[in-house]
């Protein structure tokens, strides 16, 4: 079924997973994320939030691991796959993936053929 407001108007809720990698200090991007989730819900969408704070590495080995995970996070790829198996959204709305989530979450969505909207 194509995504449109008519899905919502016809009674079927548009289901969304909203993805966000939070920063150390709350700023404009966090405010926008929270307001967009609220707006989607106000307009009848079913929204699940997938968010994580930035993980500050301790030591050299953890810094290397964090750097590599920013490119591809097996942990978040698997977490999103599990979520998608249980909750099949109509669309995934990604606000950012850096540095903890990584582009791996986009590939997880692709594995289930779920459309992704990404804002930067």
């Amino acid at each position: 079924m194509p995504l449109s407001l008519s899905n919502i108007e016809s009674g079927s809720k548009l289901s969304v997973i909203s993805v966000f990698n939070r920063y150390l200090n709350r700023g404009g991007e966090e405010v926008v994320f929270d307001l967009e989730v609220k707006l989607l819900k106000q307009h009848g969408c079913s929204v699940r939030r997938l968010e994580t704070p930035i993980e500050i590495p301790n030591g050299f080995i953890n810094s290397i691991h964090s750097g590599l995970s920013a490119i591809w996070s097996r942990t978040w790829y698997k977490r999103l796959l599990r979520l998608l198996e249980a909750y099949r959204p109509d669309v995934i709305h990604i606000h950012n993936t850096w540095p903890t989530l990584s582009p791996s979450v986009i590939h997880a969505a692709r594995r289930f053929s779920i459309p992704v909207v990404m804002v930067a």
Side-chain angles (χ1 to χ4, degrees), residues 2 4 6 14 21-22 24-25 28 33 43 45-46 51 53 61 66 93 97 108-109 113:
S4 71
S6 62
L14 185 68
N21 199 127
R22 292 204 174 266
L24 291 177
N25 299 309
F33 175 77
H43 286 275
C45 296
S46 170
E51 50 193 309
I61 298 297
S66 291
H93 186 200
T97 62
S113 300

Side-chain angles (χ1 to χ4, degrees), residues 67-112:
L68 293 173
S69 290
I71 297 167
W72 183 269
S73 173
R74 274 187 281 171
T75 300
W76 281 101
Y77 178 77
K78 290 177 184 177
R79 284 183 186 176
L80 185 55
L81 285 179
R82 284 193 304 269
L83 178 60
L84 295 176
E85 287 171 2
Y87 176 76
R88 304 265 176 132
D90 296 309
V91 65
I92 297 175
H93 186 200
I94 299 175
H95 284 259
N96 69 22
T97 62
W98 190 85
T100 306
L101 296 169
S102 86
S104 65
V105 296
I106 299 167
H107 291 273
R110 185 176 181 190
R111 186 164 171 192
F112 283 87

Side-chain angles (χ1 to χ4, degrees), residues 58-71:
N58 294 343
F60 180 74
I61 298 297
N62 287 337
S63 294
I64 297 295
H65 181 266
S66 291
L68 293 173
S69 290
I71 297 167

